[in-house]
Amino acid sequence: MIKRYLAQIFVVWTLLVSLPALAEEEGAPQLAYFTLEPDLTTNFYTKGNKLSYIQVRIDIMVANQADLATIELHQPLIRDAVIELLGQQSEDTITSLSGREDLRKTLVEQLNSILLPETGKTIIADLLFTKYLYQ
């Protein structure tokens, strides 16, 4: 009877020890970030003759670390698309929190649509503004 309990304890212990190793082998996502440097600066639409600009630093989150090289390779294309989109925004969009969040979501969608023909897959999982200054 003791042998039976010891055998069950041994089986349970073996399963508990092997579970973390199995989780790593299943290919859990290896999230990684790429920072667009230097910061991006551009003008945006304002009312009247006032000249305004926005300066942002963007971290791009990719779902796989292997995609960092692809992001680095296409960095000029990404920078151009971000500057173009930021320059088309209104003052209300740039200065409001809800506008900033909508802008972030739009950037993720637009960058993925631009990179899809180049790479053949959706690379960007998310995008973060780590610096967001406007004047």
Side-chain angles (χ1 to χ4, degrees):
M1 180 113 161
I2 292 177
K3 288 183 182 180
R4 191 169 111 195
Y5 288 125
L6 285 176
Q8 289 176 352
I9 290 172
F10 179 73
V11 168
V12 169
W13 181 76
T14 305
L15 286 173
L16 288 175
V17 169
S18 65
L19 282 178
L22 289 174
E24 290 176 9
E25 290 175 9
E26 290 178 7
Q30 298 287 330
L31 297 176
Y33 291 91
F34 182 85
T35 302
L36 289 177
E37 291 181 335
D39 298 346
L40 303 168
T41 305
T42 188
N43 294 328
F44 61 91
Y45 287 117
T46 58
K47 298 173 186 169
N49 293 331
K50 189 171 99 177
L51 181 64
S52 296
Y53 73 92
I54 180 169
Q55 183 177 33
V56 295
R57 180 178 301 142
I58 295 177
D59 283 1
I60 298 172
M61 183 173 75
V62 293
N64 189 350
Q65 263 186 328
D67 292 333
L68 287 176
T70 306
I71 294 292
E72 187 172 3
L73 177 67
H74 293 93
Q75 185 177 353
L77 182 64
I78 294 169
R79 293 177 68 82
D80 180 60
V82 171
I83 289 172
E84 184 178 339
L85 185 67
L86 288 175
Q88 296 172 354
Q89 302 306 309
S90 68
E91 184 175 12
D92 295 333
T93 303
I94 296 289
T95 58
S96 70
L97 289 176
S98 62
R100 183 186 312 181
E101 181 63 17
D102 291 341
L103 183 60
R104 186 188 67 77
K105 290 176 184 177
T106 303
L107 273 171
V108 170
E109 292 171 7
Q110 184 172 356
L111 291 176
N112 274 326
S113 68
I114 289 171
L115 291 173
L116 186 62
E118 299 290 328
T119 62
K121 61 181 179 176
T122 301
I123 293 178
I124 298 175
D126 207 353
L127 182 137
L128 303 169
F129 291 118
T130 54
K131 182 179 188 180
Y132 192 90
L133 302 172
Y134 57 86
Q135 181 178 359

